[in-house]
Amino acid sequence: MPLYETPKFVLHELLSGTTKVLKIAKVKRLKLVPTGLPLLDPNSVDAWETIEIWPLFAAVSRHSTNPRNAGVHYSQPGLELADEEMEAFATAALALAKALTCPICFELPRKIVAGSYLGCNCRVNKMQLLPIQRP
């Protein structure tokens, strides 16, 4: 990342710094039932889902350079963006954020658990972010 006196990174710069890791990253967590709560048995293999992060990351990255010209950064190119482009970016960013956030405790996995994955703060059913180390 470039060194700024005051950090002023845009999403595109932050994404480019994580490309190598997110190409192989995946999230493993309990599936949600229609009510929104994971009422499934955590000991069952079928109760867990695996989410590949790369497709979600690629979708955000595809749209990440244009939206910074709109909104808080008033500019002529920002005025030329279609509402559909802004909506596609927002939808992709929200999907990535939901995949990386635990649906139970609403935190990002950041604690190393058993030396094998990053986990969230849930006491029983930890969401797992793999791999723990850079490739």
Side-chain angles (χ1 to χ4, degrees):
M1 299 294 302
L3 178 61
Y4 295 130
E5 187 173 315
T6 303
K8 55 179 180 177
F9 301 112
V10 295
L11 184 58
H12 180 69
E13 291 172 330
L14 295 172
L15 289 175
S16 65
T18 59
T19 301
K20 191 180 286 188
V21 173
L22 292 181
K23 278 188 178 181
I24 60 172
K26 56 184 150 187
V27 168
K28 186 176 175 186
R29 64 181 180 195
L30 283 174
K31 292 179 185 175
L32 294 177
V33 294
T35 60
L37 298 174
L39 300 174
L40 304 170
D41 178 19
N43 297 322
S44 170
V45 176
D46 295 333
W48 292 84
E49 66 180 340
T50 301
I51 303 168
E52 298 291 331
I53 298 299
W54 180 248
L56 301 170
F57 172 82
V60 173
S61 189
R62 234 186 342 266
H63 301 290
S64 67
T65 54
N66 291 335
R68 73 183 181 132
N69 294 324
V72 295
H73 303 289
Y74 177 78
S75 66
Q76 187 62 36
L79 294 174
E80 296 169 1
L81 287 175
D83 290 343
E84 292 80 19
E85 291 177 275
M86 294 300 293
E87 188 173 342
F89 168 73
T91 302
L94 184 60
L96 179 61
K98 282 184 176 182
L100 290 172
T101 306
C102 176
I104 300 168
C105 67
F106 306 109
E107 291 190 7
L108 292 171
R110 58 183 169 198
K111 292 184 178 181
I112 298 175
V113 179
S116 59
Y117 64 87
L118 293 175
C120 61
N121 279 330
C122 292
R123 297 187 187 269
V124 179
N125 306 314
K126 290 202 179 289
M127 179 178 135
Q128 302 174 9
L129 178 60
L130 305 159
I132 193 169
Q133 296 180 4
R134 292 183 160 194

